[in-house]
mmCIF file of all heavy atoms in Angstrom:
data_model
loop_
_atom_site.group_PDB
_atom_site.id
_atom_site.type_symbol
_atom_site.label_atom_id
_atom_site.label_comp_id
_atom_site.label_asym_id
_atom_site.label_seq_id
_atom_site.Cartn_x
_atom_site.Cartn_y
_atom_site.Cartn_z
ATOM 1 N N VAL A 1 0.831 -1.192 0.014
ATOM 2 C CA VAL A 1 -0.016 0.013 0.006
ATOM 3 C C VAL A 1 0.897 1.258 0.004
ATOM 4 O O VAL A 1 0.601 2.214 -0.685
ATOM 5 C CB VAL A 1 -0.934 0.072 1.213
ATOM 6 C CG1 VAL A 1 -1.725 1.334 1.256
ATOM 7 C CG2 VAL A 1 -1.863 -1.177 1.241
ATOM 8 N N GLY A 2 1.939 1.223 0.750
ATOM 9 C CA GLY A 2 2.848 2.368 0.823
ATOM 10 C C GLY A 2 3.661 2.380 2.025
ATOM 11 O O GLY A 2 3.603 1.429 2.899
ATOM 12 N N ALA A 3 4.509 3.401 2.201
ATOM 13 C CA ALA A 3 5.300 3.608 3.427
ATOM 14 C C ALA A 3 4.763 4.811 4.157
ATOM 15 O O ALA A 3 4.456 5.821 3.527
ATOM 16 C CB ALA A 3 6.761 3.850 3.027
ATOM 17 N N PHE A 4 4.515 4.639 5.430
ATOM 18 C CA PHE A 4 3.831 5.678 6.228
ATOM 19 C C PHE A 4 4.719 6.098 7.446
ATOM 20 O O PHE A 4 5.180 5.188 8.179
ATOM 21 C CB PHE A 4 2.494 5.183 6.718
ATOM 22 C CG PHE A 4 1.480 4.988 5.609
ATOM 23 C CD1 PHE A 4 1.530 3.851 4.865
ATOM 24 C CD2 PHE A 4 0.539 5.941 5.361
ATOM 25 C CE1 PHE A 4 0.594 3.626 3.820
ATOM 26 C CE2 PHE A 4 -0.394 5.768 4.328
ATOM 27 C CZ PHE A 4 -0.331 4.614 3.555
ATOM 28 N N ILE A 5 4.882 7.380 7.632
ATOM 29 C CA ILE A 5 5.486 7.897 8.843
ATOM 30 C C ILE A 5 4.356 8.309 9.706
ATOM 31 O O ILE A 5 3.702 9.370 9.423
ATOM 32 C CB ILE A 5 6.468 9.085 8.530
ATOM 33 C CG1 ILE A 5 7.554 8.636 7.612
ATOM 34 C CG2 ILE A 5 7.032 9.621 9.862
ATOM 35 C CD1 ILE A 5 8.501 9.751 7.199
ATOM 36 N N VAL A 6 4.064 7.530 10.748
ATOM 37 C CA VAL A 6 2.915 7.908 11.612
ATOM 38 C C VAL A 6 3.314 8.903 12.651
ATOM 39 O O VAL A 6 4.537 9.087 12.980
ATOM 40 C CB VAL A 6 2.331 6.594 12.244
ATOM 41 C CG1 VAL A 6 1.818 5.641 11.219
ATOM 42 C CG2 VAL A 6 3.380 5.899 13.133
ATOM 43 N N LYS A 7 2.342 9.582 13.204
ATOM 44 C CA LYS A 7 2.558 10.649 14.170
ATOM 45 C C LYS A 7 3.276 10.080 15.378
ATOM 46 O O LYS A 7 2.952 9.008 15.906
ATOM 47 C CB LYS A 7 1.245 11.223 14.632
ATOM 48 C CG LYS A 7 1.412 12.486 15.500
ATOM 49 C CD LYS A 7 0.071 13.099 15.851
ATOM 50 C CE LYS A 7 0.210 14.320 16.730
ATOM 51 N NZ LYS A 7 -1.057 14.950 17.045
ATOM 52 N N GLY A 8 4.362 10.789 15.794
ATOM 53 C CA GLY A 8 5.120 10.363 16.954
ATOM 54 C C GLY A 8 6.287 9.433 16.591
ATOM 55 O O GLY A 8 7.039 9.013 17.530
ATOM 56 N N ARG A 9 6.502 9.143 15.321
ATOM 57 C CA ARG A 9 7.594 8.262 14.946
ATOM 58 C C ARG A 9 8.368 8.916 13.829
ATOM 59 O O ARG A 9 7.868 9.752 13.052
ATOM 60 C CB ARG A 9 7.033 6.948 14.443
ATOM 61 C CG ARG A 9 6.240 6.196 15.485
ATOM 62 C CD ARG A 9 6.408 4.728 15.380
ATOM 63 N NE ARG A 9 5.781 4.084 16.528
ATOM 64 C CZ ARG A 9 5.879 2.783 16.765
ATOM 65 N NH1 ARG A 9 6.592 2.040 15.960
ATOM 66 N NH2 ARG A 9 5.299 2.260 17.839
ATOM 67 N N HIS A 10 9.654 8.499 13.685
ATOM 68 C CA HIS A 10 10.502 9.081 12.658
ATOM 69 C C HIS A 10 10.704 8.131 11.477
ATOM 70 O O HIS A 10 10.738 8.588 10.329
ATOM 71 C CB HIS A 10 11.912 9.420 13.258
ATOM 72 C CG HIS A 10 11.772 10.378 14.377
ATOM 73 N ND1 HIS A 10 11.457 11.729 14.144
ATOM 74 C CD2 HIS A 10 12.039 10.303 15.697
ATOM 75 C CE1 HIS A 10 11.474 12.361 15.307
ATOM 76 N NE2 HIS A 10 11.831 11.533 16.246
ATOM 77 N N GLY A 11 10.766 6.842 11.735
ATOM 78 C CA GLY A 11 10.960 5.883 10.649
ATOM 79 C C GLY A 11 9.622 5.554 9.964
ATOM 80 O O GLY A 11 8.550 5.697 10.543
ATOM 81 N N ALA A 12 9.712 5.086 8.752
ATOM 82 C CA ALA A 12 8.533 4.701 7.942
ATOM 83 C C ALA A 12 8.128 3.270 8.231
ATOM 84 O O ALA A 12 9.021 2.396 8.429
ATOM 85 C CB ALA A 12 8.794 4.925 6.502
ATOM 86 N N THR A 13 6.876 3.044 8.215
ATOM 87 C CA THR A 13 6.337 1.682 8.362
ATOM 88 C C THR A 13 5.778 1.263 7.041
ATOM 89 O O THR A 13 4.976 1.921 6.421
ATOM 90 C CB THR A 13 5.147 1.695 9.394
ATOM 91 O OG1 THR A 13 5.643 2.090 10.712
ATOM 92 C CG2 THR A 13 4.541 0.288 9.531
ATOM 93 N N GLU A 14 6.247 0.078 6.574
ATOM 94 C CA GLU A 14 5.734 -0.476 5.322
ATOM 95 C C GLU A 14 4.361 -1.116 5.567
ATOM 96 O O GLU A 14 4.239 -1.967 6.477
ATOM 97 C CB GLU A 14 6.708 -1.535 4.763
ATOM 98 C CG GLU A 14 8.093 -0.994 4.407
ATOM 99 C CD GLU A 14 8.070 -0.098 3.188
ATOM 100 O OE1 GLU A 14 7.144 -0.310 2.369
ATOM 101 O OE2 GLU A 14 8.898 0.778 3.058
ATOM 102 N N VAL A 15 3.393 -0.720 4.810
ATOM 103 C CA VAL A 15 2.044 -1.197 5.014
ATOM 104 C C VAL A 15 1.580 -1.977 3.794
ATOM 105 O O VAL A 15 1.804 -1.585 2.666
ATOM 106 C CB VAL A 15 1.076 0.030 5.254
ATOM 107 C CG1 VAL A 15 -0.339 -0.450 5.375
ATOM 108 C CG2 VAL A 15 1.518 0.810 6.489
ATOM 109 N N PHE A 16 0.885 -3.102 4.059
ATOM 110 C CA PHE A 16 0.361 -3.994 3.049
ATOM 111 C C PHE A 16 -1.106 -4.265 3.284
ATOM 112 O O PHE A 16 -1.576 -4.139 4.430
ATOM 113 C CB PHE A 16 1.126 -5.312 3.017
ATOM 114 C CG PHE A 16 2.570 -5.219 2.534
ATOM 115 C CD1 PHE A 16 3.556 -4.650 3.320
ATOM 116 C CD2 PHE A 16 2.911 -5.629 1.259
ATOM 117 C CE1 PHE A 16 4.860 -4.543 2.830
ATOM 118 C CE2 PHE A 16 4.233 -5.502 0.781
ATOM 119 C CZ PHE A 16 5.204 -4.945 1.601
ATOM 120 N N GLU A 17 -1.762 -4.665 2.247
ATOM 121 C CA GLU A 17 -3.151 -5.169 2.399
ATOM 122 C C GLU A 17 -3.212 -6.614 1.991
ATOM 123 O O GLU A 17 -2.759 -6.982 0.891
ATOM 124 C CB GLU A 17 -4.128 -4.358 1.520
ATOM 125 C CG GLU A 17 -5.559 -4.802 1.673
ATOM 126 C CD GLU A 17 -6.496 -4.268 0.634
ATOM 127 O OE1 GLU A 17 -6.092 -3.951 -0.487
ATOM 128 O OE2 GLU A 17 -7.711 -4.086 0.967
ATOM 129 N N PRO A 18 -3.698 -7.523 2.828
ATOM 130 C CA PRO A 18 -3.836 -8.949 2.412
ATOM 131 C C PRO A 18 -4.872 -9.029 1.332
ATOM 132 O O PRO A 18 -5.910 -8.380 1.368
ATOM 133 C CB PRO A 18 -4.266 -9.649 3.722
ATOM 134 C CG PRO A 18 -4.871 -8.595 4.559
ATOM 135 C CD PRO A 18 -4.189 -7.285 4.240
ATOM 136 N N ILE A 19 -4.581 -9.849 0.330
ATOM 137 C CA ILE A 19 -5.472 -9.987 -0.841
ATOM 138 C C ILE A 19 -6.561 -10.972 -0.523
ATOM 139 O O ILE A 19 -6.334 -12.159 -0.226
ATOM 140 C CB ILE A 19 -4.663 -10.469 -2.047
ATOM 141 C CG1 ILE A 19 -3.601 -9.435 -2.411
ATOM 142 C CG2 ILE A 19 -5.612 -10.725 -3.218
ATOM 143 C CD1 ILE A 19 -4.184 -8.106 -2.816
ATOM 144 N N ASP A 20 -7.799 -10.554 -0.661
ATOM 145 C CA ASP A 20 -8.948 -11.420 -0.515
ATOM 146 C C ASP A 20 -9.233 -11.994 -1.914
ATOM 147 O O ASP A 20 -9.630 -11.280 -2.850
ATOM 148 C CB ASP A 20 -10.162 -10.619 -0.035
ATOM 149 C CG ASP A 20 -11.383 -11.512 0.210
ATOM 150 O OD1 ASP A 20 -11.370 -12.700 -0.206
ATOM 151 O OD2 ASP A 20 -12.339 -11.019 0.766
ATOM 152 N N PRO A 21 -9.022 -13.356 -2.089
ATOM 153 C CA PRO A 21 -9.247 -13.923 -3.423
ATOM 154 C C PRO A 21 -10.685 -13.845 -3.895
ATOM 155 O O PRO A 21 -10.915 -13.992 -5.122
ATOM 156 C CB PRO A 21 -8.797 -15.384 -3.195
ATOM 157 C CG PRO A 21 -8.887 -15.648 -1.726
ATOM 158 C CD PRO A 21 -8.582 -14.334 -1.096
ATOM 159 N N GLU A 22 -11.602 -13.602 -2.991
ATOM 160 C CA GLU A 22 -12.994 -13.443 -3.385
ATOM 161 C C GLU A 22 -13.206 -12.050 -3.982
ATOM 162 O O GLU A 22 -14.229 -11.801 -4.648
ATOM 163 C CB GLU A 22 -13.932 -13.586 -2.153
ATOM 164 C CG GLU A 22 -13.914 -15.018 -1.600
ATOM 165 C CD GLU A 22 -14.874 -15.186 -0.481
ATOM 166 O OE1 GLU A 22 -15.711 -14.213 -0.217
ATOM 167 O OE2 GLU A 22 -14.893 -16.220 0.177
ATOM 168 N N ARG A 23 -12.287 -11.110 -3.757
ATOM 169 C CA ARG A 23 -12.417 -9.739 -4.214
ATOM 170 C C ARG A 23 -11.547 -9.436 -5.470
ATOM 171 O O ARG A 23 -11.952 -8.741 -6.397
ATOM 172 C CB ARG A 23 -12.113 -8.805 -3.118
ATOM 173 C CG ARG A 23 -11.973 -7.313 -3.479
ATOM 174 C CD ARG A 23 -13.326 -6.738 -3.878
ATOM 175 N NE ARG A 23 -13.232 -5.321 -4.153
ATOM 176 C CZ ARG A 23 -12.912 -4.782 -5.322
ATOM 177 N NH1 ARG A 23 -12.570 -5.572 -6.309
ATOM 178 N NH2 ARG A 23 -12.827 -3.487 -5.490
ATOM 179 N N TYR A 24 -10.301 -9.954 -5.458
ATOM 180 C CA TYR A 24 -9.340 -9.584 -6.520
ATOM 181 C C TYR A 24 -8.798 -10.809 -7.199
ATOM 182 O O TYR A 24 -8.473 -11.856 -6.582
ATOM 183 C CB TYR A 24 -8.140 -8.803 -5.913
ATOM 184 C CG TYR A 24 -8.522 -7.486 -5.292
ATOM 185 C CD1 TYR A 24 -8.576 -7.357 -3.907
ATOM 186 C CD2 TYR A 24 -8.889 -6.408 -6.087
ATOM 187 C CE1 TYR A 24 -8.898 -6.157 -3.332
ATOM 188 C CE2 TYR A 24 -9.242 -5.183 -5.492
ATOM 189 C CZ TYR A 24 -9.253 -5.029 -4.122
ATOM 190 O OH TYR A 24 -9.592 -3.898 -3.567
ATOM 191 N N THR A 25 -8.680 -10.761 -8.529
ATOM 192 C CA THR A 25 -8.116 -11.847 -9.330
ATOM 193 C C THR A 25 -6.623 -11.666 -9.376
ATOM 194 O O THR A 25 -6.026 -10.614 -9.087
ATOM 195 C CB THR A 25 -8.618 -11.793 -10.763
ATOM 196 O OG1 THR A 25 -8.160 -10.587 -11.359
ATOM 197 C CG2 THR A 25 -10.151 -11.839 -10.801
ATOM 198 N N GLU A 26 -5.903 -12.766 -9.700
ATOM 199 C CA GLU A 26 -4.456 -12.670 -9.829
ATOM 200 C C GLU A 26 -4.048 -11.666 -10.855
ATOM 201 O O GLU A 26 -3.040 -10.958 -10.720
ATOM 202 C CB GLU A 26 -3.919 -14.098 -10.219
ATOM 203 C CG GLU A 26 -3.918 -15.077 -9.098
ATOM 204 C CD GLU A 26 -2.815 -14.737 -8.039
ATOM 205 O OE1 GLU A 26 -1.756 -14.244 -8.413
ATOM 206 O OE2 GLU A 26 -3.108 -14.941 -6.850
ATOM 207 N N THR A 27 -4.784 -11.599 -11.966
ATOM 208 C CA THR A 27 -4.469 -10.651 -13.036
ATOM 209 C C THR A 27 -4.492 -9.190 -12.510
ATOM 210 O O THR A 27 -3.654 -8.399 -12.815
ATOM 211 C CB THR A 27 -5.423 -10.826 -14.224
ATOM 212 O OG1 THR A 27 -5.330 -12.176 -14.687
ATOM 213 C CG2 THR A 27 -5.120 -9.786 -15.314
ATOM 214 N N TRP A 28 -5.560 -8.912 -11.711
ATOM 215 C CA TRP A 28 -5.680 -7.595 -11.194
ATOM 216 C C TRP A 28 -4.539 -7.246 -10.215
ATOM 217 O O TRP A 28 -4.003 -6.173 -10.254
ATOM 218 C CB TRP A 28 -7.023 -7.409 -10.431
ATOM 219 C CG TRP A 28 -7.186 -6.084 -9.826
ATOM 220 C CD1 TRP A 28 -6.915 -5.746 -8.500
ATOM 221 C CD2 TRP A 28 -7.505 -4.843 -10.460
ATOM 222 N NE1 TRP A 28 -7.124 -4.385 -8.307
ATOM 223 C CE2 TRP A 28 -7.481 -3.846 -9.457
ATOM 224 C CE3 TRP A 28 -7.842 -4.517 -11.757
ATOM 225 C CZ2 TRP A 28 -7.770 -2.519 -9.781
ATOM 226 C CZ3 TRP A 28 -8.164 -3.209 -12.078
ATOM 227 C CH2 TRP A 28 -8.098 -2.223 -11.071
ATOM 228 N N VAL A 29 -4.175 -8.177 -9.390
ATOM 229 C CA VAL A 29 -3.126 -7.974 -8.440
ATOM 230 C C VAL A 29 -1.800 -7.711 -9.142
ATOM 231 O O VAL A 29 -1.040 -6.811 -8.759
ATOM 232 C CB VAL A 29 -2.965 -9.188 -7.460
ATOM 233 C CG1 VAL A 29 -1.793 -8.994 -6.541
ATOM 234 C CG2 VAL A 29 -4.239 -9.324 -6.638
ATOM 235 N N GLU A 30 -1.512 -8.459 -10.178
ATOM 236 C CA GLU A 30 -0.292 -8.265 -10.950
ATOM 237 C C GLU A 30 -0.295 -6.896 -11.599
ATOM 238 O O GLU A 30 0.754 -6.193 -11.632
ATOM 239 C CB GLU A 30 -0.130 -9.377 -12.016
ATOM 240 C CG GLU A 30 0.114 -10.774 -11.428
ATOM 241 C CD GLU A 30 1.355 -10.911 -10.637
ATOM 242 O OE1 GLU A 30 2.322 -10.100 -10.907
ATOM 243 O OE2 GLU A 30 1.431 -11.765 -9.768
ATOM 244 N N ARG A 31 -1.411 -6.493 -12.094
ATOM 245 C CA ARG A 31 -1.521 -5.178 -12.719
ATOM 246 C C ARG A 31 -1.308 -4.069 -11.682
ATOM 247 O O ARG A 31 -0.548 -3.120 -11.954
ATOM 248 C CB ARG A 31 -2.894 -5.031 -13.384
ATOM 249 C CG ARG A 31 -3.049 -3.787 -14.239
ATOM 250 C CD ARG A 31 -4.401 -3.750 -14.889
ATOM 251 N NE ARG A 31 -4.607 -2.494 -15.622
ATOM 252 C CZ ARG A 31 -5.771 -2.108 -16.119
ATOM 253 N NH1 ARG A 31 -6.823 -2.949 -16.079
ATOM 254 N NH2 ARG A 31 -5.886 -0.964 -16.707
ATOM 255 N N TYR A 32 -1.897 -4.207 -10.536
ATOM 256 C CA TYR A 32 -1.705 -3.266 -9.459
ATOM 257 C C TYR A 32 -0.217 -3.158 -9.064
ATOM 258 O O TYR A 32 0.325 -2.108 -8.848
ATOM 259 C CB TYR A 32 -2.570 -3.600 -8.243
ATOM 260 C CG TYR A 32 -2.268 -2.728 -7.025
ATOM 261 C CD1 TYR A 32 -2.865 -1.507 -6.863
ATOM 262 C CD2 TYR A 32 -1.387 -3.192 -6.078
ATOM 263 C CE1 TYR A 32 -2.535 -0.716 -5.769
ATOM 264 C CE2 TYR A 32 -1.063 -2.406 -4.941
ATOM 265 C CZ TYR A 32 -1.634 -1.170 -4.825
ATOM 266 O OH TYR A 32 -1.314 -0.386 -3.752
ATOM 267 N N GLN A 33 0.392 -4.333 -8.900
ATOM 268 C CA GLN A 33 1.760 -4.375 -8.503
ATOM 269 C C GLN A 33 2.664 -3.626 -9.476
ATOM 270 O O GLN A 33 3.558 -2.862 -9.066
ATOM 271 C CB GLN A 33 2.282 -5.834 -8.449
ATOM 272 C CG GLN A 33 1.581 -6.700 -7.346
ATOM 273 C CD GLN A 33 2.403 -6.729 -6.054
ATOM 274 O OE1 GLN A 33 3.022 -5.720 -5.704
ATOM 275 N NE2 GLN A 33 2.350 -7.822 -5.330
ATOM 276 N N GLY A 34 2.395 -3.782 -10.787
ATOM 277 C CA GLY A 34 3.158 -3.092 -11.743
ATOM 278 C C GLY A 34 3.033 -1.548 -11.641
ATOM 279 O O GLY A 34 4.000 -0.809 -11.710
#
């Protein structure tokens, strides 16, 4: 999803969203990744 510097912290946190196979196809995920 992105890297976020949250309030009160200096370093960035890498954030991801788990893929729900009922919602997204493999083709869509690959396209999004690109």
Side-chain angles (χ1 to χ4, degrees):
V1 176
F4 293 80
I5 301 176
V6 298
K7 187 176 181 180
R9 302 213 171 188
H10 299 292
T13 299
E14 296 290 334
V15 178
F16 290 75
E17 181 190 30
I19 299 297
D20 184 350
E22 295 182 9
R23 171 68 176 86
Y24 297 106
T25 64
E26 284 290 325
T27 301
W28 176 262
V29 175
E30 293 298 334
R31 188 177 173 189
Y32 171 86
Q33 294 267 35

